[in-house]
Amino acid sequence: KKRNRSLLPLLEMSASEAKRPAASKAVCGPTPTAGGERWTPAGALQALGLDVSALETSETPLTPELQFMLILGKLKRQLRTGWTRRGMAMHNVESVSEHMHRMALLCFLAPPELNQQHCMQMAVVHDVAEAIVGDITPSCGISKEEKRRREHVGFAHSFNNTIFSTLSWYETMEYLKSLLTQANHVKAGEDLLALWLEYDNGATPSAKFLKSLDRFEMLLQAYEYEQEEGNPHFLQEFFDTAAPKIDHESVAAWTRQLQAFRKHE
């Protein structure tokens, strides 16, 4: 039975859901930066309401540890761009943090030849740069393939009058690592960056599993949205584009199960 979500009373939402931005304010592209044309993590954080330079020089300065913790909190409020651009009701759009959390839990089902704990760690790190950068999808004008090519040549792109280099993802991870290093968590910072680089390079068996799992989790979410909206197959485009790219054997098997179940509903 189709559910009319527009009739859900506001009081049924949590406080965080009620504060989410309106759909018309969803931005495709990197977080705008403040204080200059070139995109920087500190400038983006200032635009997000966390002026690190001011807090560092205040009477009670913000420690690097607390900076790191507060930055991670942005993941809970960074909505997944693919759904906002598809017109989903904003109070129902998942955050980057929610996406990574289910991915980490799905790692309990990782094949035995993989290190389960290592996969979980990579799952909760793989999108952490989006706390500052934002959630950039192929529909924003940079495909995964083009993003990688541009990273290698240091290509810069303009979004919202901000010069944004695709090296900025790496720059963001270096920034987060530096915060942990300043807080004497040197190994934690090294591990954070190493896990992100492993996923980004996509060469190890664990990273290949996570790349497929990333796409599969998105398909699970698409199916759930179709059910919640009472509108079967209206997110077919996500299945058409993501399913053929799921090449890990275990994850591909789950994908076939989901597609078969969805087909006969």
Side-chain angles (χ1 to χ4, degrees), residues 190-229:
E190 292 173 347
D191 289 347
L192 185 80
L193 181 58
L195 284 163
W196 183 84
L197 285 172
E198 181 181 353
Y199 176 84
D200 193 56
N201 291 330
T204 66
S206 295
K208 291 177 180 178
F209 170 70
L210 264 294
K211 290 281 187 179
S212 287
L213 195 65
D214 186 29
R215 295 185 173 103
F216 175 69
E217 199 285 329
M218 179 186 70
L219 296 184
L220 281 175
Q221 186 63 62
Y223 169 73
E224 289 166 344
Y225 282 147
E226 289 177 338
Q227 294 300 298
E228 291 174 8
E229 296 291 329

Side-chain angles (χ1 to χ4, degrees), residues 45-172:
L45 284 171
Q46 185 177 345
L48 289 169
L50 188 62
D51 190 343
V52 175
S53 59
L55 291 170
E56 286 176 341
T57 57
S58 65
E59 187 175 341
T60 52
L62 189 67
T63 65
E65 284 175 313
L66 281 178
Q67 286 184 45
F68 179 76
M69 295 173 191
L70 290 172
I71 289 169
L72 294 185
K74 302 293 183 183
L75 293 167
K76 299 198 293 182
R77 292 174 288 282
Q78 174 63 56
L79 304 187
R80 297 262 283 167
T81 304
W83 308 127
T84 62
R85 286 180 62 81
R86 192 60 177 78
M88 302 298 301
M90 294 297 283
H91 69 266
N92 195 37
V93 172
E94 69 170 344
S95 66
V96 173
S97 182
E98 290 167 326
H99 162 67
M100 293 196 299
H101 182 249
R102 178 155 61 177
M103 272 187 67
L105 291 176
L106 291 177
C107 289
F108 276 114
L109 306 178
E113 63 270 18
L114 297 180
N115 183 313
Q116 186 182 94
Q117 182 177 353
H118 183 72
C119 289
M120 287 179 173
Q121 290 176 325
M122 197 183 306
V124 297
V125 165
H126 82 283
D127 277 342
V128 75
E130 293 181 8
I132 302 177
V133 176
D135 182 24
I136 302 175
T137 70
S139 61
C140 296
I142 300 180
S143 68
K144 293 289 186 181
E145 295 76 15
E146 183 68 359
K147 170 179 174 288
R148 179 165 295 281
R149 184 187 74 81
R150 292 176 180 183
E151 283 175 341
H152 285 300
V153 299
F155 188 90
H157 198 76
S158 177
F159 279 102
N160 303 320
N161 299 318
T162 297
I163 303 304
F164 178 81
S165 167
T166 49
L167 289 170
S168 298
W169 277 277
Y170 179 77
E171 185 180 356
T172 297

Side-chain angles (χ1 to χ4, degrees), residues 35-46:
E37 288 189 348
R38 184 185 176 277
W39 190 96
T40 64
L45 284 171
Q46 185 177 345

